[in-house]
């Protein structure tokens, strides 16, 4: 049974390795899981934005999650995303997460049709919380659902016994700081999902990080978390600068998926799966691809310092 105190540290949103025909690469998934756990991460989040969950069909989701859970083997807590376009689909996803022994389920607001009114948001999340006894973590990501979770709603649903916290990927430090300051109950956790706010968020009271770049460089973020926990602000900000430098390559494509294109390219160069994403996405041109390879080779050569 997961303890609320186990929800902390670096919880990586796991990329879904795909073959050229968009089948789940289960062997690569096992390699990826081992790479991150050996890097010292504190949890793994399956079927999040980095995992391309919204573009995977049910068979792909099942295979990806099963392969990851088997590879994890109980070594770290498993977070499974159940987000979807409506409550009925979310309920079905919850059943799958329960069957696969999730420790925590993670849920955004429904996407495609925005859910903006606080009463509508509250009704939805109360429905989710009432559907399972598993710990539930909210996931604020306005860029993909076109709505921000109301702070009023966060406060109200936090009273439910199985509400464990929130992952904030909104990129708005003011909102993040309000989440930390309002902390509705002592065990409520706030995880920082925007990598640009990693150090600032932790130093301001956040409980952990959900960084997609940790698929490639898990130790970098574990080190950042440990420095922040120790109050080493100077050391933390140096690591933040390094993260920001690497993340300049998220602009390798005009696609919204530029960050994932970069991460999968790096993983493929490490022998962990292919560069393939679920279609559609705009690949970097040949010149950019070459420049990116050179940069990744340099980052990997300096891995001992990351």
């Amino acid at each position: 049974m997961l303890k609320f105190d186990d929800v902390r540290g670096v919880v990586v949103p796991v990329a879904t390795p795909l073959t050229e025909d968009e089948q789940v690469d289960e062997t690569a998934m096992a390699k990826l899981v081992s790479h991150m756990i050996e890097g010292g991460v504190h949890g793994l989040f399956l079927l999040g934005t980095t995992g391309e969950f919204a573009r995977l069909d049910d068979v792909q989701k099942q295979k990806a999650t099963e392969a990851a859970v088997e590879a994890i083997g109980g070594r770290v807590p498993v977070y499974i995303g159940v987000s979807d376009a409506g409550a009925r689909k979310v309920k079905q996803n919850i059943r799958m997460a329960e069957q696969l022994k999730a420790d925590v389920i993670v849920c955004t607001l429904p996407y495609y049709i925005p859910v903006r009114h606080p009463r509508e948001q509250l009704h939805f999340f109360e429905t989710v919380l009432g559907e399972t006894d598993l710990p539930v973590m909210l996931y604020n990501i306005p860029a993909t659902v076109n709505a921000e979770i109301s702070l009023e709603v966060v406060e109200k649903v936090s009273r439910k016994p199985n509400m464990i916290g929130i992952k904030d990927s909104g990129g708005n430090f003011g909102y993040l700081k309000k989440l930390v300051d309002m902390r509705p109950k002592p065990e409520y956790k706030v995880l920082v999902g925007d990598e640009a706010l990693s150090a600032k968020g932790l130093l301001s009271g956040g409980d952990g990080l959900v960084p997609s770049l940790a698929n490639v460089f898990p130790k970098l973020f574990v080190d950042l978390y440990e420095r922040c926990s120790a109050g080493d602000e100077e050391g933390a900000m140096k690591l933040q600068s390094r993260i920001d430098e690497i993340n300049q390559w998220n602009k390798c494509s005009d696609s919204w998926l530029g960050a994932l294109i970069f991460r999968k390219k790096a993983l493929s160069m490490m022998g962990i799966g292919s560069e393939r994403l679920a279609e559609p996405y705009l690949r970097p041109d040949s010149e950019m691809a070459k420049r990116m390879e050179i940069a990744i080779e340099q980052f990997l050569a300096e891995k001992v310092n990351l």
Side-chain angles (χ1 to χ4, degrees):
M1 178 71 69
L2 180 82
K3 297 178 181 177
F4 277 20
D5 287 345
D6 294 329
V7 178
R8 64 181 182 86
V10 180
V11 179
V12 190
V14 181
T16 302
L18 299 173
T19 63
E20 287 305 313
D21 60 351
E22 292 194 25
Q23 300 300 309
V24 174
D25 188 337
E26 297 173 60
T27 300
M29 177 65 86
K31 288 182 181 179
L32 178 57
V33 165
S34 293
H35 167 65
M36 292 184 288
I37 292 179
E38 288 166 7
V41 305
H42 306 87
L44 294 177
F45 170 31
L46 311 174
L47 300 182
T49 307
T50 301
E52 302 176 79
F53 79 94
R55 289 187 173 177
L56 302 181
D57 62 30
D58 289 345
V59 173
Q60 289 171 310
K61 289 180 183 180
Q62 183 89 17
K63 286 187 175 180
T65 308
E66 287 177 346
V69 170
E70 181 178 358
I72 293 167
R75 290 178 287 174
V76 297
V78 175
Y79 300 65
I80 297 181
V82 298
S83 304
D84 221 307
R88 183 178 179 86
K89 288 187 173 183
V90 170
K91 290 177 182 180
Q92 292 172 344
N93 295 338
I94 288 172
R95 299 285 81 80
M96 184 188 79
E98 290 175 333
Q99 291 167 7
L100 292 170
K101 309 298 182 186
D103 294 298
V104 179
I105 61 174
V106 185
C107 192
T108 67
L109 288 167
Y111 48 84
Y112 187 75
I113 298 174
V115 177
R116 298 193 179 116
H117 197 286
R119 288 207 310 271
E120 193 175 16
Q121 292 184 2
L122 181 61
H123 175 71
F124 171 70
F125 284 126
E126 285 181 338
T127 298
V128 172
L129 286 159
E131 191 67 21
T132 182
D133 293 327
L134 286 174
V136 176
M137 175 164 283
L138 305 186
Y139 182 176
N140 183 57
I141 183 165
T144 60
V145 304
N146 207 16
E148 182 177 81
I149 302 175
S150 161
L151 292 171
E152 173 190 355
V153 171
V154 173
E155 193 278 330
K156 287 182 177 178
V157 298
S158 71
R159 300 169 189 170
K160 303 292 183 179
N162 58 333
M163 173 50 63
I164 200 170
I166 186 168
K167 174 200 171 187
D168 176 41
S169 295
N172 179 344
F173 180 71
Y175 179 93
L176 175 63
K177 189 67 168 64
K178 287 177 181 177
L179 289 174
V180 171
D181 290 345
M182 70 182 283
R183 202 178 295 276
K185 53 188 178 185
E187 63 270 31
Y188 194 85
K189 307 296 182 179
V190 178
L191 303 185
V192 183
D194 187 315
E195 289 174 20
L197 296 177
S198 294
K200 192 174 181 181
L202 288 174
L203 292 168
S204 298
D207 300 288
L209 305 172
V210 191
S212 67
L213 187 58
N215 279 270
V216 183
F217 300 119
K219 291 180 181 178
L220 173 59
F221 288 90
V222 171
D223 192 6
L224 173 61
Y225 172 73
E226 291 175 348
R227 287 177 185 264
C228 289
S229 297
D232 179 6
E233 183 173 351
E234 181 179 358
M237 295 313 295
K238 286 181 179 179
L239 291 176
Q240 181 68 63
S241 295
R242 188 64 166 140
I243 291 165
D244 295 342
E245 177 189 354
I246 297 171
N247 274 337
Q248 288 299 308
W249 288 97
N250 293 347
K251 302 170 185 175
C252 65
S253 166
D254 289 329
S255 172
W256 192 89
L257 292 166
L260 186 55
I261 290 170
F262 172 74
R263 282 142 181 73
K264 283 200 167 182
K265 176 68 172 178
L267 289 170
S268 73
M269 292 175 64
M270 296 164 61
I272 303 176
S274 74
E275 303 173 28
R276 196 73 157 86
L277 276 66
E279 294 284 359
Y281 65 101
L282 186 63
R283 294 162 177 77
D285 61 36
S286 57
E287 180 182 349
M288 174 59 75
K290 184 60 179 176
R291 289 172 53 206
M292 187 165 52
E293 287 178 8
I294 293 170
I296 290 170
E297 286 175 352
Q298 180 179 340
F299 292 142
L300 294 177
E302 298 171 359
K303 190 174 180 181
V304 66
N305 297 319
L306 292 177

